[in-house]
Amino acid sequence: MNNNPLTPDEVQKAAEQFFPLFDIVRNRMPANATTEDTLKVMETVCGLAQKLRAEEEKIKFGFNKNETDTESTTVG
């Protein structure tokens, strides 16, 4: 692992990715929610998003075919 200090460019790229995600969660939080509350909820939401991504990738993996694909290629 590289332990050199982060460059401003690296931090800028990370912020460009982080803040849109943070804003999505913050905009759905109650008006009196703190930044700490939002970060806690964001952690949970991102965990769920990772789980949903893994499930979607699992479905797409392999040679899964839709029934309609099988039906259209069947020669009668």
Side-chain angles (χ1 to χ4, degrees), residues 22-73:
F22 179 82
D23 289 341
I24 289 169
V25 175
R26 183 181 60 189
N27 290 334
R28 306 220 31 198
M29 296 290 291
N32 62 344
T34 66
T35 300
E36 184 178 352
D37 294 335
T38 303
L39 289 171
K40 288 178 183 178
V41 172
M42 186 176 172
E43 184 177 351
T44 301
V45 170
C46 289
L48 176 59
Q50 288 286 346
K51 181 180 175 186
L52 294 173
R53 176 194 280 176
E55 289 175 3
E56 185 176 315
E57 288 174 355
K58 186 176 181 181
I59 291 170
K60 291 180 181 179
F61 183 76
F63 295 100
N64 294 334
K65 294 183 178 181
N66 294 335
E67 289 181 29
T68 55
D69 291 345
T70 305
E71 291 170 1
S72 64
T73 59

